[in-house]
Amino acid sequence: MSDGKKSAFKYDYLGSDPKAIQRSVSNHLVYTIGKDPFTATDHDWMMAFSHVVRDRLIERWMETQRNYYRHDAKRIYYLSMEFLIGRSLEHDAALGNGGLGRLAACFLDSMATLNIPGYGYGIRFEYGMFRQKLEDGRQVELPENWLAHGNPWEFPRPEVSYRIRFGGRVMEYLGPDGRRHFDWIDGDVVVAQAYDTPIPGYHNDTVNNLRLWSAKAYEDFDLACFNMGEYTHAVEEKTQSENISKVLYPDDSSTRNQALRLKQQYFFVSASLKDILRRFSIDHDDLQELPDKVAIQLNDTHPSIAIPELMRILLDKEKLQWQLAWNITTRVFSYTNHTLLPEALETWPIQLFEQLLPRHLQIIYEINRRFLLMVGNLHPDDREIQRRLSIFDEKGERRIRMAHLAVIGSHKVNGVSALHSELLRSGTCKDFHEFYPDKLINITNGITPRRWLLLSNRPLSKLICDAIGHDWVRDLDRLEDLVPLADDTTFQERFRAAKQANKTRLAGLVKHYLNQEIDPHTLFDVQVKRIHEYKRQLLNVMRVIALYNRLLDDPHADFVPRTVIFGGKAAPGYFMAKLIIRLINDVADVIDNDPAVNDRLKVVFIPNYDVTTASDIIPAAELSQQISTAGMEASGTGNMKLALNGALTIGTMDGANVEMREKVGDENIFIFGLTTDGIEQLKRKVYHPRHYYETNPELKRVVDMIGNGFFSPTNPNRYKVISETLLNSDPFLVLADFQDYIETSDNADACYRNPEIWNRMAVMNTAMMGHFSSDRTIKEYAEKIWGVEPVSR
Ligand SMILES: *Cc1c(COP(=O)(O)O)cnc(C)c1O
């Protein structure tokens, strides 16, 4: 494969002129889909067309892979439990919960566009993120059987499969070299089979690969059982092993104590590592070269079992000495941290871990023993620091702290925004930062401008291309060429018209799918993201209630007519988040049925927020709600998408909002609320939410209405737990930020009343978002962590 000969393939061997495409569609309809053009459904035509596109990707995919071999290129392997790819012509591939999975998808797009040999590795979940439906304002979860109608984008690779072991025991033996060796044997075996999805770059003929693993039974049917009449038993075993890749856990923070979740993690990590080593050994026989040819990025701690797994392979299979194996391992791995919240950091009970992965536990003990020895040498009299840094949490049920394992086993660890990385260094990972002063770095997240502007917002893309050309699609900093146009009233007017077209389109979709009227001439005020207490959708509804009260008190008040749009899924077991969804819908109902206000205030909850709905909503947004409790949102990427599409941010000093403010300037963003320090101080002094309630009549009235059943007259106690929580503990400091939020929202309204001011600010937001392209993010990973450069073609 790497014989250096030029490939026989020409890129576009099949042709891309209209005639060639037409002919290919007809051929695929008949020969691939097996349909007569007279009876073919729209779906059949779509499948045929997808195959036509796919054919043209395959040529380029093969050529790209050959080229990587020719250059003996260093490969980047992005290991992630989730890839939220979204729609490719038709169905939305929802193999992720939210930000983390979407980041992985944006990174694949950027790596391909930058000619970086990046491979995604993950799980081919049969059921993706659940579909959300609303029934009487409540979230109902429906299974997302996304493969039911076939997936034209994937190639099953039955020949690429690996046996993955669980359980069993560790055998110790004396090798011919006179050393003790270990071998993991027995237990249950599941087969991981590869499915490949081509990932094209933007107009560059590079096509990278996303390889997802599906679990298959090791032996389809145990014939011995079958003969003894235990047919059902044999089928049961088969079903059990195939359960591993059955369903994505719908929890956007860690899911505790789930043996199946741990199995999923090891399953895809082990298969991926075997595959990576197989590819490496095609052209290399010295494992010491591994770090020169392979970089593995761990997207959060979910794939961090890769660290002991690579150690196991190097020690037990390749018979390397510990120190050499460890040196190779730490140079290969790097880890991205996505959370500061100690309760969201992943840990596994030692007992469960030992049952499934006994050899890995031994290796982790040894990693920890050697690490704590070094810590002990540096701090001989400090037992406490050893306790804090240990991989094992010894309080209560003993647990493995996966973040500690990931930090110790990686050469670089990155946070995902400047603030988040700073808080990691000064707080959550302070001891580690002192121990490894160069390890913790920042790489601020980004989003792909191809999907989040070019594809999803045609009116604005066209306007931008007409004004400054199309270089921005690959080089988003070029959007700064729009800055001089921010003051140009003709351009402002065109910018506004593009926004208007998107608003009208969204209103049409809302009418069509939800049968609700929203007025596209009102301010579109948008909060779309997972429903979580720290993201404070509750604070937003409380503002809506306050606005409603103003209209009730003064029907002739000077009021900016607005449509407040919510969207987002709650984890199925997250009681408070689900209650907040219901409250939003109950508030929407009361306002809708009040003719005194419903021409100026409207609330709509758009169900099933996913990449497709995001692409419909975001281009139409004017005000972007990014209001998390400071210090709790690692970065956010929704904030970037909305600002890129010309929405103005109202937000707290949290995550990447801080850097967005630096870029657009304080005059082009609405910042409010407590800072991370302010929150710390308040919490240290003992926080009294009731104080705010008692001294702020507008706030008191809102909290009382929630608590006394104003929005749930048939069940007045429905939201009591919300008002009680707010008054008694308010862990997300909603009450502390309420007043500043309302005033800042009023400020935003004041700007909106003057279209010239607002449009100028909106243009400046689009113009100054270049920094938040995932191309920039990937270039930083390439330079600061992976040590790779684009491969020339
Ligand atoms: C971008 C995106 C997210 C992340 O949004 P945040 O506001 O950063 O939490 C979640 N879900 C989908 C579908 C997205 O496209």
Side-chain angles (χ1 to χ4, degrees):
M1 239 184 231
S2 50
D3 60 4
K5 267 188 249 156
K6 192 99 184 109
S7 156
F9 280 98
K10 286 218 172 71
Y11 302 152
D12 233 7
Y13 176 73
L14 295 165
S16 292
D17 56 290
K19 273 260 154 37
I21 298 282
Q22 244 175 21
R23 196 168 48 241
S24 296
V25 173
S26 304
N27 282 342
H28 271 296
L29 187 75
V30 176
Y31 300 113
T32 308
I33 313 299
K35 279 292 187 84
D36 186 315
F38 294 102
T39 57
T41 63
D42 284 355
H43 183 257
D44 294 329
W45 284 107
M46 179 57 74
M47 289 294 273
F49 184 67
S50 300
H51 278 93
V52 171
V53 177
R54 194 181 88 158
D55 288 346
R56 280 143 187 86
L57 293 182
I58 301 169
E59 297 176 329
R60 293 163 170 85
W61 181 85
M62 288 179 178
E63 181 50 36
T64 302
Q65 304 309 317
R66 280 159 198 261
N67 193 44
Y68 291 160
Y69 277 107
R70 268 199 295 274
H71 284 84
D72 190 20
K74 182 171 185 177
R75 265 79 161 181
I76 308 308
Y77 296 106
Y78 198 78
L79 266 56
S80 178
M81 274 290 265
E82 307 187 359
F83 287 92
L84 225 187
I85 302 283
R87 170 182 288 187
S88 308
L89 289 184
E90 197 188 28
H91 65 248
D92 192 302
L95 305 186
N97 272 279
L100 175 141
R102 184 54 231 176
L103 184 75
C106 285
F107 282 4
L108 293 182
D109 181 82
S110 284
M111 287 192 288
T113 297
L114 293 169
N115 297 318
I116 286 176
Y119 296 70
Y121 273 106
I123 301 175
R124 180 180 177 268
F125 295 108
E126 201 175 315
Y127 291 87
M129 186 62 194
F130 67 82
R131 273 189 302 122
Q132 178 195 57
K133 212 175 76 169
L134 294 176
E135 271 176 18
D136 299 328
R138 272 174 296 188
Q139 169 175 299
V140 175
E141 300 95 20
L142 302 174
E144 166 63 2
N145 190 359
W146 72 295
L147 296 168
H149 301 288
N151 173 10
W153 302 112
E154 67 181 12
F155 296 90
R157 306 281 190 210
E159 77 284 9
V160 183
S161 62
Y162 298 97
R163 283 175 295 178
I164 312 297
R165 185 187 308 280
F166 293 100
R169 62 200 172 89
V170 180
M171 195 185 66
E172 189 180 335
Y173 64 97
L174 204 63
D177 54 0
R179 289 192 293 133
R180 286 194 308 156
H181 289 282
F182 297 88
D183 209 4
W184 180 26
I185 56 168
D186 296 346
D188 301 320
V189 170
V190 176
V191 173
Q193 191 200 305
Y195 285 76
D196 288 344
T197 302
I199 305 289
Y202 179 73
H203 285 205
N204 65 351
D205 288 328
T206 290
V207 179
N208 281 344
N209 197 29
L210 168 61
R211 178 158 282 183
L212 301 178
W213 300 103
S214 180
K216 309 276 165 179
Y218 178 35
E219 286 149 323
D220 251 353
F221 287 97
D222 187 333
L223 265 183
C225 283
F226 186 73
N227 291 339
M228 284 187 297
E230 290 191 29
Y231 181 79
T232 29
H233 180 71
V235 177
E236 252 165 39
E237 288 214 330
K238 175 176 158 70
T239 317
Q240 261 195 7
S241 23
E242 295 185 351
N243 270 345
I244 290 183
S245 57
K246 189 68 73 183
V247 58
L248 167 79
Y249 279 97
D251 218 316
D252 55 346
S253 53
S254 69
T255 310
R256 282 168 194 279
N257 290 345
Q258 303 273 5
L260 185 61
R261 165 94 173 174
L262 183 57
K263 278 188 167 178
Q264 289 183 339
Q265 295 184 351
Y266 179 66
F267 166 78
F268 99 88
V269 158
S270 177
S272 305
L273 274 184
K274 286 175 174 160
D275 202 40
I276 291 166
L277 291 172
R278 176 196 56 77
R279 189 174 295 113
F280 170 79
S281 59
I282 292 173
D283 285 333
H284 308 88
D285 41 30
D286 184 357
L287 280 163
Q288 298 205 50
E289 287 177 26
L290 194 70
D292 303 325
K293 296 295 163 193
V294 167
I296 303 179
Q297 189 68 39
L298 305 172
N299 193 21
D300 211 318
T301 55
H302 316 143
S304 56
I305 310 168
I307 292 164
E309 173 70 352
L310 181 57
M311 283 298 283
R312 184 185 70 84
I313 296 169
L314 297 179
L315 296 169
D316 298 358
K317 302 290 169 200
E318 304 292 339
K319 308 286 194 283
L320 298 191
Q321 305 248 21
W322 181 281
Q323 202 48 53
L324 183 56
W326 184 244
N327 179 279
I328 292 172
T329 299
T330 51
R331 286 165 61 211
V332 162
F333 286 109
S334 45
Y335 152 60
T336 304
N337 173 284
H338 287 272
T339 182
L340 291 165
L341 313 181
E343 66 275 18
L345 288 172
E346 193 178 37
T347 63
W348 290 106
I350 289 181
Q351 239 197 338
L352 169 67
F353 201 94
E354 185 166 26
Q355 268 170 26
L356 290 176
L357 305 166
R359 177 64 181 134
H360 297 79
L361 182 62
Q362 283 183 346
I363 291 170
I364 295 172
Y365 275 129
E366 183 60 13
I367 293 172
N368 197 49
R369 190 185 68 78
R370 288 171 183 251
F371 170 69
L372 290 185
L373 250 134
M374 293 198 298
V375 176
N377 284 338
L378 208 70
H379 306 276
D381 306 316
D382 195 346
R383 301 280 311 164
E384 194 49 26
I385 195 161
Q386 298 196 29
R387 195 189 57 73
R388 289 202 303 271
L389 286 179
S390 170
I391 296 176
F392 297 95
D393 182 352
E394 310 280 350
K395 298 189 301 276
E397 180 197 31
R398 296 180 67 223
R399 304 181 76 96
I400 309 176
R401 299 191 275 219
M402 300 309 273
H404 292 215
L405 174 63
V407 172
I408 295 165
S410 299
H411 63 287
K412 286 285 187 242
V413 174
N414 74 288
V416 290
S417 72
L419 175 67
H420 168 68
S421 300
E422 191 42 48
L423 293 174
L424 274 179
R425 286 187 285 249
S426 64
T428 317
C429 288
K430 186 164 185 285
D431 296 323
F432 275 117
H433 180 49
E434 280 162 15
F435 190 76
Y436 299 118
D438 300 324
K439 204 181 260 200
L440 269 74
I441 63 171
N442 175 59
I443 300 188
T444 299
N445 280 170
I447 56 169
T448 167
R450 270 76 63 185
R451 182 172 289 260
W452 295 112
L453 181 51
L454 183 66
L455 180 65
S456 59
N457 193 342
R458 305 309 291 221
L460 183 55
S461 296
K462 181 170 186 315
L463 172 63
I464 296 172
C465 287
D466 289 348
I468 62 168
H470 55 264
D471 290 351
W472 61 271
V473 179
R474 294 162 158 289
D475 177 6
L476 202 61
D477 286 330
R478 290 272 50 77
L479 289 181
E480 284 185 35
D481 295 347
L482 295 172
V483 169
L485 296 169
D487 291 310
D488 176 332
T489 47
T490 320
F491 186 79
Q492 281 179 4
E493 175 47 31
R494 292 194 182 130
F495 196 92
R496 191 207 58 77
K499 182 62 75 181
Q500 189 58 53
N502 293 321
K503 289 170 70 182
T504 303
R505 176 174 178 271
L506 179 62
L509 292 172
V510 167
K511 175 70 189 159
H512 183 260
Y513 289 104
L514 309 179
N515 196 27
Q516 292 200 51
E517 307 279 349
I518 62 175
D519 180 352
H521 298 287
T522 60
L523 165 64
F524 277 15
D525 180 338
V526 172
Q527 187 172 23
V528 283
K529 49 183 73 254
R530 286 300 290 257
I531 310 291
H532 213 294
E533 286 168 284
Y534 86 80
K535 293 179 183 271
R536 299 201 295 195
Q537 282 91 357
L538 181 57
L539 179 57
N540 191 1
V541 215
M542 289 170 65
R543 176 187 64 123
V544 171
I545 297 170
L547 291 175
Y548 173 54
N549 288 338
R550 283 190 196 165
L551 283 177
L552 288 181
D553 294 349
D554 181 3
H556 304 292
D558 186 13
F559 191 88
V560 173
R562 70 203 311 128
T563 302
V564 184
I565 297 170
F566 287 91
K569 294 172 184 175
Y574 190 166
F575 171 79
M576 267 301 204
K578 289 180 126 175
L579 196 60
I580 290 167
I581 292 180
R582 194 172 191 187
L583 174 63
I584 293 168
N585 285 304
D586 275 344
V587 169
D589 235 32
V590 167
I591 293 176
D592 234 14
N593 288 308
D594 190 337
V597 305
N598 64 13
D599 58 334
R600 282 164 296 167
L601 183 59
K602 163 91 187 166
V603 179
V604 57
F605 191 105
I606 297 182
N608 200 41
Y609 183 61
D610 60 8
V611 172
T612 297
T613 46
S615 320
D616 294 330
I617 298 169
I618 289 169
E622 293 174 296
L623 190 58
S624 161
Q625 299 285 335
Q626 308 297 339
I627 60 178
S628 51
T629 312
M632 303 196 100
E633 187 73 273
S635 162
T637 49
N639 46 2
M640 301 166 187
K641 298 169 196 165
L642 283 144
L644 179 64
N645 282 273
L648 303 197
T649 303
I650 177 166
T652 47
M653 287 294 269
D654 201 15
N657 294 354
V658 176
E659 288 152 89
M660 285 169 55
R661 171 171 171 259
E662 275 167 24
K663 294 294 173 189
V664 303
D666 198 32
E667 67 283 8
N668 292 313
I669 190 168
F670 303 102
I671 294 292
F672 73 93
L674 290 164
T675 59
T676 316
D677 283 346
I679 297 224
E680 277 286 298
Q681 281 173 28
L682 203 60
K683 281 190 168 164
R684 219 172 308 134
K685 279 197 321 213
V686 185
Y687 170 52
H688 289 295
R690 228 172 252 278
H691 161 79
Y692 299 91
Y693 169 84
E694 275 153 10
T695 53
N696 183 339
E698 194 172 25
L699 171 61
K700 179 173 188 302
R701 185 167 163 200
V702 170
V703 175
D704 288 344
M705 286 163 80
I706 293 171
N708 69 21
F710 185 92
F711 300 104
S712 54
T714 56
N715 178 0
N717 287 327
R718 185 175 293 157
Y719 301 114
K720 197 111 212 146
V721 57
I722 293 183
S723 58
E724 291 295 317
T725 304
L726 285 176
L727 292 175
N728 293 326
S729 59
D730 188 16
F732 301 92
L733 295 98
V734 170
L735 299 203
D737 272 348
F738 178 82
Q739 186 58 32
D740 199 3
Y741 180 42
I742 297 287
E743 285 170 18
T744 308
S745 177
D746 289 343
N747 266 340
D749 287 7
C751 292
Y752 194 76
R753 285 193 176 92
N754 186 330
E756 210 164 300
I757 289 181
W758 185 273
N759 292 335
R760 183 182 188 285
M761 293 172 81
V763 174
M764 285 301 291
N765 269 264
T766 298
M768 300 310 290
M769 278 300 118
H771 183 68
F772 302 99
S773 165
S774 48
D775 298 346
R776 186 270 311 152
T777 311
I778 286 298
K779 283 180 192 158
E780 286 191 34
Y781 277 89
E783 188 191 316
K784 297 181 184 165
I785 300 183
W786 302 332
V788 291
E789 288 184 356
V791 175
S792 59
R793 308 236 7 163

